[in-house]
Amino acid sequence: MKTTQLMSAAALTAATGFAASGAQADELTLCWAAWDPANALIELSKDFEAESGHSMSFEFVPWPNFADRMLNELNSGGKLCDLMIGDSQWIGLGAEAGHYVKLNDFFEAEGISMDDFIPATVTGYSEWPKGTPNYWALPAFGDVVGWTYRKDWFEMPEHQAEFKETYGRDLKAPETLAELKDIAEFFQGREIDGKTVYGAAIYTERGSEGITMGVTNALYNYGFEYGNPENPYELEGYVNSPEAAEGLEYYKALYDCCTPPGSSDWYMSANIDAYKSGQVALQMNFAFIWPGVNADPNVGGDKSGYFPNPKGPGGHFAQLGGQGISVVSYSDSQDAALEYIKWFAQPEIQSKWWELGGYSALKAVVEDPGFATSQPYAQTFLDSMAIVKDFWAEPAYASLLLAMQDHVHSYVIAGEGTAQEALDALVEDWTEVFEDEGKI
């Protein structure tokens, strides 16, 4: 038995080229969230195992627990993860706390250029400090908040006629936030196929990041800024501008008028369930859900359509999601982990990643002439990635996020105080965080 095992190992080593190089096969653990794209990555990674001789294992954690679980792992210097697909907002912490391996020298040695990736994903997933050529991750999964709608409901002649009579325009995918609210109000409480339906499923979740990832899609488009462009930690008058308060009021109005009963703590999975079960006409969610919607037997195919987050009176932006893939500095298999990143960056692998349901950030994939028509949602993905804006990626990101979750949820969902008061309080909390960090 031992002889057979040794012979098999020798054959594997020779076949994969490790005998010549003197390298050894490692077992790598890749850590990410538990969601549909992770399943696609398992399938994709089988090619890496076959080519490299390394074996892959995966640690996937549901989104509501993902940040706590993985940030605790990093902060404790744990060795569970060799590769981490960490959220975009973690990049500052990963860099400054020494959790991630800086990849500049590796990229240069292997001919991997960040110019080959969608610029927003490089800024969002890889750079720290922002705007500098210091890279701590390879863009792994491009994602952005967009909208799904019941195209079949929109196209019903009776709906078309009634909407046109009421609003003076055709019932179609909205271009502005005001139009979106009109559509949500139109469908709220309507009976379709003998069932009462509702306008929109939006992000309202309090415990992790949900309502922040939702409300920013209104705030940005009314004029909210994270700070003075000339002085990044000058918050007063930017975070809490009158225009930003109007954006927060809009989001509350959308929640109050047009969401299903009991939707005060909803995030990605709850919105998916509401949409697929036929409860809502519109669904806010990250683009990762679109392959699953398109394939769904109840709402898939021509029954659903997709559109970017609509513009507002102060701009046109959408909340960036997505992640980069990093090598964890505490890993004992950093060389093998870097091999994985080199393999993953190849255009043919990125193309297959898209085919399997992953969202490639490689220009060679998304700028291919056939990309926009390769899936019903492909053009919406491109349009959405062109208008992205992201939350803070500071090392103190968690404290910044908790403060926003608290103040925004208290106003939008609990109805406490005014929008201006909520944002004023947020400025106070964020200022305190940055003072503690020595940033101001």
Side-chain angles (χ1 to χ4, degrees):
M1 184 67 177
K2 290 181 180 178
T3 303
T4 304
Q5 289 176 331
L6 288 170
M7 289 176 64
S8 299
L12 176 64
T13 301
T16 56
F18 283 102
S21 66
Q24 293 181 334
D26 288 355
E27 179 175 332
L28 294 173
T29 298
L30 187 153
C31 297
W32 199 12
W35 58 336
D36 287 347
N39 298 326
L41 190 63
I42 292 175
E43 185 64 28
L44 183 72
S45 297
K46 292 176 181 177
D47 290 349
F48 173 75
E49 291 179 307
E51 293 175 21
S52 69
H54 301 306
S55 59
M56 298 291 298
S57 62
F58 301 88
E59 184 73 18
F60 297 148
V61 179
W63 273 112
N65 311 109
F66 177 56
D68 284 346
R69 173 71 181 86
M70 290 306 168
L71 291 176
N72 285 340
E73 177 68 22
L74 292 174
N75 288 329
S76 67
K79 293 181 177 292
L80 170 64
C81 309
D82 302 295
L83 291 155
M84 174 75 76
I85 302 185
D87 226 349
S88 58
Q89 291 93 1
W90 304 0
I91 199 73
L93 177 66
E96 292 197 14
H99 299 325
Y100 293 162
V101 174
K102 190 174 183 181
L103 297 175
N104 287 55
D105 291 344
F106 170 73
F107 286 166
E108 185 175 354
E110 298 297 341
I112 298 172
S113 173
M114 290 293 96
D115 291 339
D116 293 338
F117 291 84
I118 300 171
T121 67
V122 176
T123 300
Y125 310 155
S126 302
E127 290 179 358
W128 190 262
K130 297 299 182 185
T132 71
N134 294 282
Y135 306 120
W136 306 87
L138 181 88
F141 188 84
D143 206 359
V144 57
V145 171
W147 292 82
T148 319
Y149 72 101
R150 286 299 300 265
K151 189 177 178 184
D152 54 343
W153 294 358
F154 278 44
E155 291 175 347
M156 289 180 176
E158 63 271 30
H159 292 163
Q160 287 281 335
E162 183 181 344
F163 189 89
K164 184 69 174 283
E165 182 179 351
T166 303
Y167 295 99
R169 65 176 189 274
D170 292 335
L171 177 56
K172 61 181 182 178
E175 295 183 3
T176 69
L177 289 173
E179 290 176 358
L180 184 144
K181 185 170 178 285
D182 287 345
I183 293 168
E185 287 181 309
F186 177 79
F187 280 104
Q188 182 77 359
R190 186 169 292 271
E191 187 173 302
I192 299 178
D193 297 330
K195 178 180 177 181
T196 300
V197 305
Y198 302 96
I202 65 174
Y203 289 165
T204 59
E205 181 260 5
R206 170 68 183 85
S208 62
E209 64 175 16
I211 197 165
T212 297
M213 294 296 101
V215 73
T216 48
N217 295 281
L219 292 177
Y220 297 155
N221 294 343
Y222 273 80
F224 170 98
E225 296 281 356
Y226 284 104
N228 183 345
E230 305 301 321
N231 181 12
Y233 303 106
E234 182 186 332
L235 311 179
E236 184 68 40
Y238 297 90
V239 171
N240 60 342
S241 67
E243 295 79 11
E246 288 180 23
L248 188 55
E249 289 167 353
Y250 169 89
Y251 200 76
K252 177 173 174 53
L254 184 62
Y255 170 73
D256 287 343
C257 78
C258 308
T259 56
S263 61
S264 62
D265 196 32
W266 283 16
Y267 198 18
M268 293 178 280
S269 60
N271 285 18
I272 293 170
D273 292 343
Y275 186 81
K276 287 187 175 180
S277 62
Q279 293 183 53
V280 293
L282 301 164
Q283 176 195 188
M284 163 189 279
N285 224 322
F286 284 109
F288 84 90
I289 71 160
W290 292 340
V293 168
N294 188 51
D296 188 81
N298 296 319
V299 300
D302 291 338
K303 292 181 179 179
S304 289
Y306 315 89
F307 61 89
N309 189 52
K311 63 186 176 183
H316 194 192
F317 301 97
Q319 175 60 50
L320 181 69
Q323 302 87 35
I325 183 168
S326 300
V327 174
V328 177
S329 63
Y330 315 114
S331 167
D332 292 327
S333 301
Q334 289 185 23
D335 288 345
L338 289 168
E339 281 186 57
Y340 185 91
I341 288 183
K342 178 184 177 182
W343 167 83
F344 185 72
Q346 297 175 93
E348 60 269 27
I349 300 302
Q350 287 290 302
S351 180
K352 187 173 182 180
W353 181 220
W354 167 249
E355 292 170 7
L356 289 172
Y359 282 90
S360 174
L362 190 69
K363 288 180 181 177
V365 174
V366 301
E367 293 179 357
D368 183 275
F371 180 85
T373 56
S374 62
Q375 296 290 352
Y377 44 81
Q379 185 62 58
T380 301
F381 173 71
L382 291 177
D383 294 342
S384 298
M385 291 303 294
I387 58 171
V388 293
K389 200 169 191 175
D390 201 11
F391 189 73
W392 294 106
E394 294 283 329
Y397 135 82
S399 297
L400 299 166
L401 178 62
L402 287 173
M404 187 158 186
Q405 286 284 107
D406 181 30
H407 293 302
V408 170
H409 197 275
S410 294
Y411 169 69
V412 172
I413 308 303
E416 297 176 4
T418 67
Q420 189 66 58
E421 288 168 347
L423 294 178
D424 288 346
L426 182 59
V427 167
E428 291 180 13
D429 284 357
W430 279 2
T431 299
E432 185 176 337
V433 170
F434 288 127
E435 286 175 347
D436 290 345
E437 292 283 297
K439 299 291 178 73
I440 54 177

